[in-house]
Amino acid sequence: MEKLKIYVTAHIADVLAKDAENFEFYKKDGRTLNKNALLTKIVVHYSGRFSREQASLADFLARKLHAAGNEAAKALPAIFDRLNERAAATDGEKFDVPLSLKPTKESEPVIDYIEAYSLSGRTLSEYFRSLFAAYASLPQDKREEIVFKAQYDALSDAIRRKKKVFLTTAAKAAMEISPYALSGSKEELHLYLIGMGRTCFPLRLSRIASVTLLPDDAVFPEEQVRLAEKMIRYGPQFACRAGEGKVLVELTPQGEKKFRKLYVHRPVPVKAEGCRLWFDCSHFQIVQYFERFGKDARVIYPESVRNAIVSFHRRALAAYGELPPKQDPM
């Protein structure tokens, strides 16, 4: 099967390129993005759902137009094409960025099926342009669910059945765990599996290579369940540890502005009194987030969190060594 050329908007091309990087699709050299591998996963895992959604919309429009009379119903194909075009280019962008989709052993049967049953008068390129546009319109964590559908479905089944699984990761690690929940980050960036074993820990869905269901029942220790629920509530990407207490942070007026603006991985306070915020989340999350505030955030307690941030700034200062006298840039 020959390589397909599909023209999409710059926005769609950018989303696909960023997903290839965020979901770590690289060629064997470990540096070059393997965009075709990502496109293959989207075609294989999303085309069925996309075609069903398109058919449902077509059926809805047909019924509404039929009720308006036979003449109106004849306009359905043109209306449907227009809807697809608007979905693909919401800001009037041009379809002038080429994508190359090279069929593989995995995608060829799916493409054959699409060509036989799903085109409805469109070309393959037009169909895939609409498919990639629909994919790009979804939040990143929903796109991750599509690309890694096999892992997502297997984990969802294990969670529903309360069974253990054997996992392998992209880093070649292997483990037997009890899967507790699949949870998205608050910023809708990634999906995480919260698993339990000797500890309670998160694994990013895109870094799970394979999932095998085991016959053994999952085990959920009470203490780990409490930690898992806290992670789901405040951020599944940050592991909570037993014994971690509340954290009190005091902000300057500039720090309060930063806290409102820096929303990525921002911890959720459980209490606020003026410039003082109390948190009950992962201590690692607190350290990672407030390191960026410099003098505009001060951890009051616990001492371990305060010392971790102080140590970060000391190491940064040591890396710069002896700084030259400040000079006027003008």
Side-chain angles (χ1 to χ4, degrees):
M1 189 176 288
E2 294 182 358
K3 185 183 294 186
L4 298 171
K5 183 168 284 189
I6 303 142
Y7 285 90
V8 298
T9 64
H11 169 71
I12 295 168
D14 186 53
V15 168
L16 294 169
K18 287 179 178 176
D19 277 4
E21 183 175 6
N22 289 333
F23 300 155
E24 299 170 344
F25 279 85
Y26 291 100
K27 295 183 178 180
K28 290 182 179 180
D29 62 12
R31 298 185 302 274
T32 308
L33 289 177
N34 191 341
K35 295 180 183 178
N36 194 68
L38 172 69
L39 298 182
T40 296
K41 292 296 184 185
I42 297 170
V43 170
V44 171
H45 295 157
Y46 188 48
S47 58
R49 171 178 148 188
F50 173 73
S51 293
R52 289 191 297 272
E53 291 171 349
Q54 295 274 287
S56 176
L57 177 59
D59 180 64
F60 172 80
L61 289 172
R63 284 186 280 108
K64 292 296 183 182
L65 290 171
H66 183 72
N70 290 332
E71 290 302 315
K74 293 178 182 178
L76 176 60
I79 294 172
F80 201 52
D81 286 345
R82 180 58 176 160
L83 286 172
N84 281 328
E85 288 178 5
R86 287 179 62 83
T90 54
D91 296 323
E93 292 181 274
K94 293 182 179 180
F95 298 95
D96 55 1
V97 180
L99 289 179
S100 293
L101 174 61
K102 183 180 180 181
T104 64
K105 289 182 179 179
E106 185 180 14
S107 64
E108 276 188 1
V110 179
I111 295 172
D112 285 339
Y113 180 88
I114 290 169
E115 196 166 20
Y117 297 103
S118 302
L119 295 183
S120 300
R122 290 171 289 181
T123 65
L124 267 176
S125 292
E126 289 169 337
Y127 175 89
F128 284 125
R129 181 177 69 189
S130 294
L131 181 141
F132 292 134
Y135 169 87
S137 70
L138 298 170
Q140 182 176 296
D141 57 349
K142 296 301 181 184
R143 302 197 302 269
E144 185 175 25
E145 178 184 328
I146 289 168
V147 173
F148 300 93
K149 184 178 184 296
Q151 294 92 318
Y152 180 88
D153 288 349
L155 290 168
S156 297
D157 182 54
I159 291 167
R160 179 181 59 82
R161 296 170 62 179
K162 294 182 170 60
K163 294 293 185 180
K164 288 185 177 181
V165 296
F166 177 76
L167 296 181
T168 62
T169 71
K172 308 301 182 185
M175 64 193 78
E176 178 183 311
I177 67 167
S178 296
Y180 181 76
L182 286 161
S183 180
S185 63
K186 305 305 178 187
E187 303 84 8
E188 299 183 332
L189 295 177
H190 288 288
L191 276 173
Y192 292 85
L193 167 69
I194 298 177
M196 297 183 186
R198 284 178 294 179
T199 62
C200 177
F201 58 93
L203 277 173
R204 206 167 89 183
L205 179 65
S206 60
R207 290 177 177 165
I208 298 173
S210 69
V211 181
T212 303
L213 188 72
L214 298 176
D216 300 332
D217 291 336
V219 178
F220 303 125
E222 187 177 336
E223 175 62 26
Q224 291 192 24
V225 169
R226 285 197 292 269
L227 295 174
E229 290 298 324
K230 185 185 288 189
M231 290 161 62
I232 292 170
R233 191 160 58 247
Y234 296 120
Q237 64 270 51
F238 297 104
C240 292
R241 304 300 181 194
E244 289 184 334
K246 289 186 173 62
V247 179
L248 172 58
V249 178
E250 186 175 71
L251 302 176
T252 67
Q254 186 63 29
E256 292 182 88
K257 292 180 182 178
K258 289 180 179 179
F259 188 77
R260 288 193 294 269
K261 291 180 180 179
L262 300 175
Y263 65 90
V264 176
H265 302 325
R266 179 172 59 200
V268 179
V270 295
K271 179 182 174 183
E273 287 182 358
C275 63
R276 289 191 159 202
L277 303 176
W278 282 260
F279 301 93
D280 190 25
C281 59
S282 161
H283 286 186
F284 179 64
Q285 181 179 1
I286 294 292
V287 172
Q288 278 217 327
Y289 181 76
F290 284 108
E291 280 174 348
R292 296 177 286 177
F293 282 56
K295 64 181 178 57
D296 292 315
R298 184 167 64 97
V299 175
I300 307 301
Y301 66 77
E303 186 176 359
S304 58
V305 177
R306 183 173 66 246
N307 288 344
I309 294 180
V310 170
S311 177
F312 167 81
H313 289 297
R314 282 177 174 163
R315 290 194 303 271
L317 185 60
Y320 278 97
E322 194 73 27
L323 295 176
K326 185 177 180 181
Q327 297 180 352
D328 188 338
M330 296 302 290

